[in-house]
Amino acid sequence: MLAVACVVVASLVPARDLPDLQVSDKSEHLVAYALLAAGAVQLFARRLSWAVVCVLLVLMGIGLEYLQAAMKLGRMLDRADALANTLGVLVGLATAFTPLRDLLLRLDGGR
């Protein structure tokens, strides 16, 4: 939940308050949403849960884009950002089919 809150806050603060990371903002979107979706894969065992979380993350990304435009804080709705968010969700979901799927369990000692 903290990671989701961080993404929401970073998405809604005025543009002037964001650090310049010297990378494409589309990359930032993709990585953030990939990490959120990969986290869901780590937390939930059932594929249905992954699907629900991933749909909610995509809807959150789209909703935040609309909020950026509505709040008029120097941010704007960008469909390319929403697409990068969605692609990030798919990348994170794809970790379910790799050895990364149980990474947190392995780090926790297999419990």
Side-chain angles (χ1 to χ4, degrees), residues 41-64:
V41 166
Q42 297 293 306
L43 294 173
F44 300 105
R46 296 180 54 215
R47 289 181 181 197
L48 179 60
S49 299
W50 299 341
V52 169
V53 170
C54 288
V55 167
L56 291 174
L57 286 173
V58 169
L59 292 174
M60 180 181 88
I62 293 168
L64 287 171

Side-chain angles (χ1 to χ4, degrees), residues 75-97:
R75 309 286 295 266
M76 60 183 219
L77 185 146
D78 186 348
R79 288 181 179 90
D81 285 351
L83 177 61
N85 297 343
T86 302
L87 292 174
V89 169
L90 293 174
V91 168
L93 180 60
T95 65
F97 308 102

Side-chain angles (χ1 to χ4, degrees), residues 1-13 18 28-37 57 60-62 64-65 68 75 85 89:
M1 295 308 292
L2 181 60
V4 170
C6 289
V7 169
V8 169
V9 168
S11 296
L12 297 178
V13 297
L18 293 172
E28 295 171 11
H29 284 264
L30 188 132
V31 168
Y33 281 80
L35 290 173
L36 291 177
L57 286 173
M60 180 181 88
I62 293 168
L64 287 171
E65 287 301 318
Q68 286 177 353
R75 309 286 295 266
N85 297 343
V89 169

